[in-house]
Amino acid sequence: MRTKTFWTLVCCAFLFFILFSSAIVLAGSKDTVTVAMHGDPLHMSPYRYKHTSALTTIYQMFQGMMKRDDKTGEWILGLAESLELMENGKDFRVRLRKGPKFSNGEPVTAHDVRFSWQQHLDRKNASILRSVYRTITDVEIIDDYNLICRLKKKYAPWKELMGMSIGSKKHFDKIGREGWNKDPVGSGPFKLVAWRKGESITMETVKNHHDYQPNFKTLKFLIITDEMTRLAMLETGEVDLTYRILPHMVKRLERNKRIKVKRSDMSPSYNAMDFEPMPYPLMADKNLRLAFHYAINRQEIVDAIFFGEGYPSYMEADQVELGYDPTYKVEFNPEKAKDLVKKSSYKPGTPLTLTYAIGYAPNAPQVAAAIQKYMKDVGVTIRLNQAELGTYLTWDRTHQKEIGHMDIFPWDGSLDPIWRLMLGMKSTGIYTNWDNRPDKEIMDKLIDAQATEMDEQKRLAILKEIHKLNNADPDTLPLFGLYMIYAMRDRIDYNWVPKTSEAFHLWNVKVLK
């Protein structure tokens, strides 16, 4: 009897502990929003920018002179009270607001703007955006709240420059470069509390923020590269929000009454296949590359592999990008593709390698297999090569022969095409896969011209010429764009910001219960 009583008491005590512990977790969860990220940001400093996943965390902590509007995604004034194009048509006079402060309580001044510009340019930070911010030749300080941004020349996408992340100079001077890289300080509504590389990032709201005041205290990011794990954690409640959900998982989530699934059909999205003429001269053959364009049934890929949750792409631009033409299409015409293959220097039976990495491009194995089948139908043999993501990225960046004749890649896109054109299409760009195309000089001149054309209609005409040249002699095979599918537990609500590719503006998440 005593034994039974003893174990009864033990079991009751254990059950009480479990219930009490759960109550603590649930009670505290109202103050915390947990977001599952699909990629590791690698760096928390905006000056060491390497990959778009970093934007999700950086945007919560840092602000620029301009910012993206919560409802439209367009650029509007941020830390700046006013921005004025000067008489010379290239420089900008900026007046900063006097209210904004960094998370350490220091006011945001013109000295911080100059410091941030210098950090973006510093080779030690090795930011891939260094070439973009080199467009600014000087940040001239007039006083604490007034400055002039001096530019090399007229720069059409100047709003991108004014969106530059501004960090605290005093904090940097106090803790040094290494300290800053671990503990950066911006003027956003969240501040960094803890960072476990490759695992999690914890932020807290900044009290009495000058722009935003979230209705929760802690924002936590979990780095979960596997999609199935992200969705399972959403279903169990370990995660409140996740995004970039592939269409075939939607029905599973919609069966769960505690989960809300939403879509944004105005997010930038561009998925394509690169030709690699640099390591493989055969891919410089125009007829062979054009054959791919006519042989691939893009609409079928969208419908069959992505359940119609997207749209076919025919030009090298995403749907919200300046210069995108929704009327341009390439017909699915296998017979025309066969004729082009015969006219090309391709020898029947020669295997062309198509490389992809799982977790990089959506449903890459299925898309690669579809391309393989379409090309087989027109007489081209494709060999598929699945690579580990890190290895793939190294091959791609350095244009090594191991990358294969072609590779599948995603581009998250942006409102302005400047970064994609300068970094990925101009012959000197670090991601350009064909630096010696026949029309190189014309293309480079057009890319430079559109960058300095301040009249939007005239700039659109130049962009049209760029796309016309590239459509006639394509260096990539545009495939499809996808809707942004995101899901959340019913305890919160959040609406995706249009024309953005990452989970920006998480201060707009509302905890409902």
Side-chain angles (χ1 to χ4, degrees):
M1 184 70 179
R2 286 181 181 178
T3 303
K4 287 184 177 180
T5 303
F6 172 76
W7 284 111
T8 299
L9 290 172
V10 169
C11 290
C12 288
F14 180 72
L15 181 60
F16 175 78
F17 173 76
I18 293 297
L19 292 173
F20 182 71
S21 300
S22 299
I24 292 174
V25 172
L26 290 171
S29 65
K30 185 174 182 180
D31 291 330
T32 301
V33 171
T34 303
V35 179
M37 288 180 64
H38 57 283
D40 191 344
L42 301 177
H43 303 289
M44 297 302 291
S45 169
Y47 314 131
R48 304 183 73 188
Y49 179 78
K50 299 288 188 299
H51 194 270
T52 52
S53 59
L55 292 176
T56 297
T57 52
I58 287 171
Y59 213 85
Q60 317 308 323
M61 298 188 295
F62 290 87
Q63 295 178 301
M65 291 175 281
M66 296 194 77
K67 63 182 179 181
R68 305 288 282 274
D69 183 82
D70 286 351
K71 292 184 171 59
T72 67
E74 297 288 347
W75 287 105
I76 60 173
L77 290 175
L79 293 174
E81 181 180 292
S82 64
L83 276 163
E84 178 188 359
L85 179 64
M86 297 180 69
E87 294 75 13
N88 61 15
K90 67 181 182 70
D91 299 337
F92 286 87
R93 185 180 288 109
V94 184
R95 179 184 293 121
L96 297 176
R97 294 159 57 195
K98 291 187 177 180
K101 294 182 179 181
F102 291 111
S103 60
N104 61 3
E106 296 285 347
V108 179
T109 70
H111 302 279
D112 300 300
V113 177
R114 180 174 173 79
F115 154 76
S116 299
W117 165 67
Q118 291 171 330
Q119 288 301 308
H120 279 292
L121 263 60
D122 195 326
R123 289 184 180 275
K124 293 179 182 177
N125 290 321
S127 170
I128 66 170
L129 299 181
R130 180 176 178 271
S131 62
V132 175
Y133 289 115
R134 283 177 62 188
T135 304
I136 300 175
T137 60
D138 192 19
V139 174
E140 182 181 320
I141 298 174
I142 299 173
D143 58 39
D144 283 353
Y145 293 98
N146 290 276
L147 58 102
I148 295 175
C149 286
R150 302 285 186 187
L151 277 60
K152 286 182 182 178
K153 51 191 173 183
K154 294 179 180 179
Y155 191 68
W158 57 270
K159 293 178 183 178
E160 301 277 350
L161 295 178
M162 300 302 147
M164 175 178 64
S165 295
I166 309 302
S168 169
K169 180 180 184 300
K170 286 186 178 180
H171 184 67
F172 183 92
D173 291 343
K174 181 180 179 180
I175 66 176
R177 183 184 303 278
E178 290 306 312
W180 168 271
N181 288 337
K182 297 175 184 177
D183 181 28
V185 167
S187 63
F190 294 97
K191 61 181 179 180
L192 183 65
V193 174
W195 176 26
R196 299 177 66 182
K197 284 190 177 182
E199 296 182 22
S200 65
I201 299 159
T202 304
M203 298 180 185
E204 286 187 357
T205 57
V206 176
K207 292 182 180 179
N208 302 315
H209 189 263
H210 46 271
D211 284 331
Y212 311 102
Q213 197 59 55
N215 74 338
F216 56 95
K217 180 182 179 182
T218 304
L219 176 61
K220 186 168 185 178
F221 296 96
L222 298 181
I223 315 303
I224 308 169
T225 57
D226 179 68
E227 185 191 21
M228 296 301 293
T229 304
R230 287 197 300 272
L231 299 186
M233 293 179 73
L234 179 69
E235 290 172 320
T236 59
E238 297 168 89
V239 162
D240 293 308
L241 172 69
T242 189
Y243 55 102
R244 293 190 187 282
I245 296 170
L246 292 177
H248 65 273
M249 301 305 300
V250 170
K251 286 187 178 179
R252 164 181 162 175
L253 293 178
E254 289 179 335
R255 286 195 292 266
N256 190 325
K257 295 181 180 180
R258 300 297 305 274
I259 292 175
K260 294 183 287 187
V261 179
K262 295 187 178 184
R263 295 166 179 78
S264 171
D265 60 1
M266 282 300 291
S267 285
S269 176
Y270 175 75
N271 294 270
M273 187 187 79
D274 254 343
F275 298 108
E276 296 290 344
M278 288 165 69
Y280 291 97
L282 172 62
M283 303 316 296
D285 189 309
K286 177 180 175 179
N287 286 322
L288 180 57
R289 283 180 281 108
L290 284 173
F292 278 83
H293 279 254
Y294 290 104
I296 308 299
N297 190 332
R298 296 160 172 85
Q299 187 65 61
E300 190 172 66
I301 288 176
V302 170
D303 292 340
I305 298 178
F306 297 100
F307 299 87
E309 297 273 9
Y311 44 90
S313 292
Y314 301 101
M315 63 187 296
E316 196 171 343
D318 72 75
Q319 65 164 349
V320 301
E321 181 182 299
L322 184 69
Y324 175 76
D325 180 3
T327 66
Y328 177 76
K329 295 202 172 28
V330 178
E331 63 177 326
F332 170 55
N333 191 332
E335 292 306 314
K336 190 170 184 177
K338 288 178 183 178
D339 290 339
L340 287 165
V341 170
K342 291 176 182 177
K343 292 176 183 177
S344 76
S345 53
Y346 174 77
K347 295 181 180 179
T350 303
L352 304 181
T353 301
L354 171 58
T355 299
Y356 63 89
I358 293 179
Y360 187 48
N363 285 351
Q366 294 91 331
V367 173
I371 294 172
Q372 183 184 48
K373 179 191 178 300
Y374 290 131
M375 295 314 296
K376 180 181 178 181
D377 291 343
V378 299
V380 177
T381 302
I382 301 291
R383 179 175 58 198
L384 303 183
N385 177 36
Q386 180 178 307
E388 185 273 328
L389 180 56
T391 303
Y392 165 83
L393 292 174
T394 300
W395 289 346
D396 186 42
R397 187 173 61 252
T398 56
H399 303 288
Q400 295 181 28
K401 200 161 187 176
E402 288 83 354
I403 192 68
H405 299 79
M406 303 151 292
D407 62 286
I408 297 174
F409 73 96
W411 165 258
D412 292 328
S414 59
L415 279 175
D416 199 282
I418 187 66
W419 292 357
R420 182 182 56 76
L421 294 177
M422 300 299 286
L423 299 177
M425 189 176 286
K426 191 175 178 183
S427 63
T428 55
I430 61 174
Y431 290 113
T432 298
N433 57 305
W434 191 12
D435 63 356
N436 197 31
R437 56 186 296 157
D439 54 7
K440 177 176 73 173
E441 292 185 8
I442 299 174
M443 183 67 81
D444 283 357
K445 286 180 180 178
L446 286 170
I447 291 173
D448 287 340
Q450 63 81 34
T452 60
E453 181 52 69
M454 303 295 278
D455 183 294
E456 186 170 293
Q457 291 306 310
K458 291 180 180 179
R459 189 180 180 211
L460 282 169
I462 299 172
L463 290 172
K464 186 175 182 179
E465 285 300 310
I466 290 173
H467 287 302
K468 184 178 178 181
L469 273 179
N470 200 53
N471 293 338
D473 196 358
D475 63 346
T476 65
L477 172 69
L479 292 170
F480 56 86
L482 296 177
Y483 303 143
M484 176 59 71
I485 304 175
Y486 57 110
M488 65 207 77
R489 299 288 298 182
D490 61 356
R491 64 178 292 270
I492 70 166
D493 194 36
Y494 173 69
N495 290 315
W496 199 266
V497 178
K499 302 180 182 179
T500 61
S501 59
E502 291 292 327
F504 296 161
H505 302 203
L506 288 174
W507 50 84
N508 286 329
V509 170
K510 299 297 181 187
V511 177
L512 305 175
K513 55 185 176 179

